Amino acid sequence: MALGASVDARDASNPLETLLIAFAQGKRDKDIAALSNIEWQGFAYPEDSEKDLSVTYHLRGRLRLNGFGEVDLPVGIGANATHKKGNAGDASIDVIFHSAKGVRAIELQKFYPSSNYQEILRGQLSVGTVTLLADNCKTDGYGDLPDDEHIAFFRIDLPAAPTPVFVRAGRNEDGGKNSPGETFFSFSLFTPGSDMTKRSCVNRVEPLQ
């Protein structure tokens, strides 16, 4: 595939790749909800609007990441908690929209902590590159407490996307008695330079503008 080729988001083979291309292409909420390789659960709207009378709303669903095998997944919480067999790549998706600005971010979370963020992201792409921007962060997103989520930042470049997709990845290794821990990825079209600086991360490429 030639760099810069115009490809519809549905042509990507992996559900996350499909979603990221649609995200970068600025697809409308109805177009994203029509992506057939994701198990969508529908839109969720807030009860009140923001000051400018606009709203932030969500499209939630589930997909399966490549590269994972069968595990015991928790069902329920507390005394009623049980387990079921599932795939460690099964993940929840939250696409965040703004009524005036379109899709703003994508949040993905899966059970079980995984440290190989870059390998996971590369495994979802048929084409494109994943570049490590920064890792070994010293503090949390507020710049005060130690980073206990093992945060790292990446840039995904996709031939079918007009702009890079930026990723903040992390994990919760101590899920408690009702969870085996989680791995999460937050996708954005905005450069994470200020977030990286606030967290005192180690830059692995030239500073972002």
Side-chain angles (χ1 to χ4, degrees):
M1 183 184 298
L3 186 65
S6 177
V7 178
D8 189 273
R10 290 179 177 80
D11 290 341
S13 58
N14 180 271
L16 182 58
E17 182 180 18
T18 301
L19 179 58
L20 294 181
I21 292 174
F23 176 38
Q25 291 177 344
K27 296 291 187 180
R28 298 181 304 171
D29 53 4
K30 293 181 179 179
D31 295 322
I32 292 180
L35 298 176
S36 60
N37 54 359
I38 298 174
E39 183 184 334
W40 294 116
Q41 298 166 344
F43 289 96
Y45 298 89
E47 295 181 356
D48 56 350
S49 62
E50 299 173 7
K51 290 182 179 180
D52 59 358
L53 301 182
S54 61
V55 296
T56 298
Y57 59 102
H58 303 258
L59 173 62
R60 297 188 173 105
R62 298 190 61 81
L63 56 76
R64 176 168 292 180
L65 300 172
N66 288 337
F68 294 93
E70 187 178 81
V71 293
D72 288 325
L73 297 177
V75 178
I77 59 175
N80 297 322
T82 60
H83 290 83
K84 68 176 181 179
K85 291 295 183 182
N87 190 289
D90 288 341
S92 62
I93 282 284
D94 183 4
V95 186
I96 304 169
F97 296 90
H98 186 276
S99 59
K101 301 176 182 178
V103 60
R104 308 305 290 163
I106 298 171
E107 303 288 340
L108 180 151
Q109 180 175 302
K110 75 168 201 70
F111 280 124
Y112 288 95
S114 300
S115 60
N116 52 340
Y117 308 137
Q118 192 165 19
E119 181 180 337
I120 293 172
L121 292 169
R122 283 174 174 164
Q124 314 315 308
L125 307 181
S126 60
V127 292
T129 60
V130 179
T131 303
L132 173 63
L133 300 179
D135 58 4
N136 290 348
C137 304
K138 293 181 175 59
T139 65
D140 63 7
Y142 298 99
D144 47 16
L145 298 177
D147 170 31
D148 60 358
E149 294 183 321
H150 312 281
I151 297 295
F153 293 88
F154 301 88
R155 185 185 67 241
I156 299 178
D157 295 284
L158 298 163
T163 182
V165 176
F166 296 96
V167 189
R168 186 182 77 249
R171 63 187 185 273
N172 172 17
E173 294 185 333
D174 183 16
K177 64 180 181 180
N178 296 319
S179 171
E182 304 88 25
T183 305
F184 61 85
F185 298 91
S186 298
F187 302 92
S188 172
L189 301 182
F190 301 99
T191 58
S194 60
D195 196 10
M196 290 160 44
T197 299
K198 184 180 295 183
R199 295 173 183 270
S200 299
C201 303
V202 177
N203 291 334
R204 302 302 182 182
V205 297
E206 292 296 321
L208 297 175
Q209 301 298 319

